[in-house]
Amino acid sequence: MAGRLLRVSSFATAVVASSGFYLYNKKLDFNDLSLVRFGRAAATTIIISYDYLCLRNMEYGTEEYWELKSQVHRRSAERLRDLCCTNRGTFIKVGQHLGALDYLLPDEYTSTLKVLHSNAPQSSVEEIHQVIREDLGKEISDLFVSFDENPRGAASLAQVHKAVLHDGRTVAVKVQHPKVRTQSSKDIVVMEALVNMVHWLFPDFAFMWLVEEAKKNMPLELDFLNEGRNAEKLAAMLAHFPWLRIPKIHWELSTTRILTMDYAEGGQVNDRGYMKTHGIDVNEISQNLGKMYSEMIFVQGFVHCDPHPGNVLVWKCPNTNKTEIVLLDHGLYQNLHPDFRLAYCRLWQSLIKGDMKGIERYSRRLGAGELYPLFACVLTARSWTSINAGIGKTPVTCSEDVEIRRNAALYLPQISDLLNRVPRQMLLLLKSNDLLRGIETTLQTRASSSSFIIMSRCCTRAIARHKRSKARSRLRRLQITLSESLTLWQIGLYELFLWVKELMLGG
């Protein structure tokens, strides 16, 4: 028996030693192993779940309960952030998505996870060289006169380097992190299993919508050729906005993992200091951002769904002295179904006017059911009192903003239920809404009525276009066009009234 045990232990030692030697020679990063990534994610989920289970021993609704719950939220958010930074790739992408939901999740989560937008890990220079060599078949020195090895920006899926072509043009080269493609599908399976486990422990919290979105969108975001096509499609669609710039794609230097485009100068859209230094009007930027997104959502139905500040630059051209908005990162888009888009248009018209019957009708049509009051609050980030009065008539106040954020924590189970009910198209719109609201809050333009005027115009145009497409006679189409013109004229008159009022108040 002793001899047999000695032989087995010797064999095991030899296997372990040879495996270790093999892994050492391969320079394998243990973070790449699915078992390690799963174990780390499972351990974090178990610790977070246990922390929340301890709340069951507290009396619900007391001051001590809310204080302890806030502490649990903060600890859990920090653990989740650390997990995302360690596992990288898909985990960071999902963490960024959660960090963008300012008015849907507790503030402890969103404020903690927001750092993932700017502090994403970087790939090494050797890894970047290897991806370019594999995909373009040449060395960097053969493709570019110069290539800045320090990335200008690093995101969850890729990082961007500045380079100069042999013809003298300056370009931005977006290179995918080499391991993210192979890890993403496995990571999503891990997330699905862990989200199901959390749902089993806490039936009120159903976050399957998050996994479903990652499963659907991740393959599209990992295909940089798809991103290039999205960029060109939007550039053609919004060509009538002279202040919008979308960098030109260099297809001969682009693959599914590499996207080369014109280099764009500018500061981030939430950088008030940059705008002040360069003489850029924050109100103009905010209005143009509203025009661009209202056109995408209500009129075109083709929506850029990742407008976090790193993807939206502002730039004052020294030659023309005109201000431009530069839109980057076109990997994540949502195509809105015409019926959905029209119901969404009519819902926003009802919200702006304070038409309660319309709010209920179109919220239910969009899947909210009896949760339509919560849906209206989630969509607008306004209180039910403001919605009853008409959000176009009541300005945003700090106290209302605090109330909405507090309610996000109080009604988390109901919000979770709502997000599982509404059409999948709505989820990315909610994310985009919250990101745009965050920009407006930073620019201090959120209380402006101009955004509602812009939305009203786009909704009017979209509905009139739909009616004309269904009309069977020229007379009916003429009637629709006249009605549209009258409504747009009324909106313009109201805008003029507000402008005069503002001038008088200013005086």
Side-chain angles (χ1 to χ4, degrees):
M1 178 66 72
R4 187 180 301 169
L5 187 60
L6 180 63
R7 287 194 297 273
V8 170
S9 61
S10 299
F11 177 74
T13 303
V15 169
V16 170
S18 59
S19 300
F21 181 73
Y22 173 78
L23 293 175
Y24 175 79
N25 282 333
K26 286 284 185 181
K27 293 184 172 62
L28 183 67
D29 184 351
F30 279 92
N31 190 52
D32 297 342
L33 298 175
S34 297
L35 186 62
V36 172
R37 296 168 68 79
F38 173 76
R40 189 184 291 124
T44 302
T45 304
I46 290 168
I47 292 169
I48 290 174
S49 299
Y50 179 75
D51 215 357
Y52 278 103
L53 284 170
C54 292
L55 286 172
R56 292 180 176 177
N57 299 324
M58 298 288 295
E59 184 181 350
Y60 179 82
T62 62
E63 187 176 334
E64 291 81 8
Y65 173 86
W66 294 119
E67 184 178 347
L68 180 60
K69 189 166 189 177
S70 177
Q71 293 172 8
V72 173
H73 281 335
R74 181 71 63 187
R75 285 197 300 269
S76 301
E78 289 170 353
R79 288 168 179 145
L80 190 57
R81 177 201 61 202
D82 294 342
L83 171 66
C84 292
C85 288
T86 307
N87 274 8
R88 303 170 62 172
T90 309
F91 282 84
I92 287 185
K93 196 70 185 175
V94 171
Q96 288 175 340
H97 192 150
L98 292 173
L101 302 177
D102 271 314
Y103 298 89
L104 297 178
L105 295 178
D107 181 63
E108 293 87 350
Y109 275 93
T110 56
S111 60
T112 302
L113 295 174
K114 265 184 172 56
V115 299
L116 296 174
H117 281 295
S118 54
N119 292 337
Q122 299 177 7
S123 292
S124 67
V125 175
E126 292 77 16
E127 288 174 321
I128 295 302
H129 280 240
Q130 182 64 25
V131 172
I132 291 175
R133 193 181 301 117
E134 288 174 0
D135 280 33
L136 297 178
K138 292 181 180 179
E139 296 295 332
I140 283 181
S141 57
D142 297 327
L143 298 167
F144 308 103
V145 172
S146 66
F147 185 90
D148 189 350
E149 294 186 340
N150 295 315
R152 292 302 170 108
S156 54
L157 306 181
Q159 59 193 52
V160 178
H161 294 260
K162 186 177 181 181
V164 178
L165 299 176
H166 287 286
D167 61 10
R169 287 177 294 172
T170 304
V171 294
V173 186
K174 183 176 179 178
V175 185
Q176 195 172 109
H177 298 309
K179 301 165 187 173
V180 71
R181 186 181 292 271
T182 55
Q183 291 171 346
S184 63
S185 56
K186 299 171 187 174
D187 286 345
I188 290 171
V189 171
V190 168
M191 288 179 193
E192 190 168 14
L194 296 178
V195 165
N196 279 321
M197 185 184 85
V198 171
H199 181 52
W200 179 70
L201 287 170
F202 305 97
D204 286 341
F205 300 95
F207 281 88
M208 285 311 298
W209 57 269
L210 188 62
V211 177
E212 289 170 10
E213 283 301 293
K215 193 184 293 186
K216 181 185 75 175
N217 293 319
M218 193 56 64
L220 297 174
E221 290 192 75
L222 288 169
D223 181 0
F224 287 178
L225 294 178
N226 177 66
E227 179 178 342
R229 289 190 291 269
N230 286 341
E232 289 193 339
K233 180 177 178 179
L234 190 73
M237 196 175 280
L238 302 184
H240 55 286
F241 291 146
W243 39 261
L244 174 62
R245 183 152 59 94
I246 295 173
K248 178 187 173 186
I249 306 299
H250 295 261
W251 291 108
E252 72 281 3
L253 293 174
S254 298
T255 68
T256 55
R257 294 195 299 171
I258 299 170
L259 190 65
T260 305
M261 67 205 91
D262 285 349
Y263 186 78
E265 299 281 357
Q268 289 193 4
V269 71
N270 64 342
D271 189 343
R272 286 178 62 88
Y274 176 90
M275 294 193 206
K276 186 176 181 180
T277 302
H278 292 81
I280 296 173
D281 183 358
V282 294
N283 290 304
E284 180 188 351
I285 292 297
S286 185
Q287 286 180 24
N288 286 343
L289 201 58
K291 287 178 185 176
M292 179 172 70
Y293 267 86
S294 291
E295 182 79 15
M296 281 192 271
I297 293 169
F298 299 116
V299 180
Q300 305 294 346
F302 183 66
V303 190
H304 179 289
C305 289
D306 202 10
H308 76 78
N311 290 338
V312 187
L313 305 182
V314 291
W315 164 251
K316 194 160 194 173
C317 181
N319 298 326
T320 62
N321 207 37
K322 290 183 178 179
T323 302
E324 295 178 338
I325 291 177
V326 184
L327 193 60
L328 306 173
D329 197 345
H330 300 268
L332 186 59
Y333 271 74
Q334 182 68 70
N335 280 293
L336 304 182
H337 189 277
D339 292 340
F340 172 92
R341 181 168 53 82
L342 288 166
Y344 194 63
C345 281
R346 293 187 185 280
L347 173 59
W348 269 104
Q349 285 186 320
S350 302
L351 287 164
I352 292 168
K353 295 174 185 176
D355 174 8
M356 302 310 295
K357 289 184 178 179
I359 290 170
E360 180 178 356
R361 181 187 307 118
Y362 295 112
S363 293
R364 287 182 179 277
R365 192 171 293 181
L366 290 169
E370 72 279 2
L371 293 176
Y372 73 89
L374 177 63
F375 179 56
C377 293
V378 162
L379 189 60
T380 59
R382 302 296 301 273
S383 68
W384 186 240
T385 303
S386 296
I387 288 169
N388 271 274
I391 58 173
K393 303 170 187 174
T394 53
V396 181
T397 61
C398 290
S399 59
E400 184 186 13
D401 216 32
V402 170
E403 178 190 346
I404 289 294
R405 290 177 182 273
R406 185 172 62 245
N407 286 342
L410 292 174
Y411 295 103
L412 193 56
Q414 291 87 345
I415 290 173
S416 175
D417 181 25
L418 177 66
L419 294 178
N420 278 295
R421 288 186 185 196
V422 296
R424 302 297 90 183
Q425 299 172 82
M426 182 61 71
L427 299 176
L428 287 179
L429 285 188
L430 291 173
K431 174 194 172 184
S432 301
N433 283 345
D434 277 355
L435 285 169
L436 292 169
R437 268 194 287 263
I439 292 170
E440 288 179 343
T441 301
T442 305
L443 298 181
Q444 298 175 11
T445 58
R446 193 174 161 217
S448 170
S449 59
S450 64
S451 60
F452 296 123
I453 291 170
I454 291 163
M455 290 169 68
S456 296
R457 279 199 178 101
C458 286
C459 289
T460 299
R461 287 170 49 217
I463 292 168
R465 179 190 287 184
H466 172 72
K467 287 180 177 178
R468 273 194 297 269
S469 69
K470 300 292 183 181
R472 295 185 178 181
S473 68
R474 288 184 180 180
L475 178 60
R476 178 58 185 148
R477 285 194 288 271
L478 179 61
Q479 288 174 336
I480 293 166
T481 300
L482 289 174
S483 175
E484 176 192 11
S485 300
L486 178 61
T487 304
L488 291 174
W489 180 78
Q490 289 172 334
I491 293 170
L493 196 62
Y494 178 63
E495 185 176 26
L496 178 63
F497 163 74
L498 291 177
W499 179 71
V500 172
K501 183 180 176 183
E502 186 179 335
L503 281 180
M504 292 175 67
L505 288 173

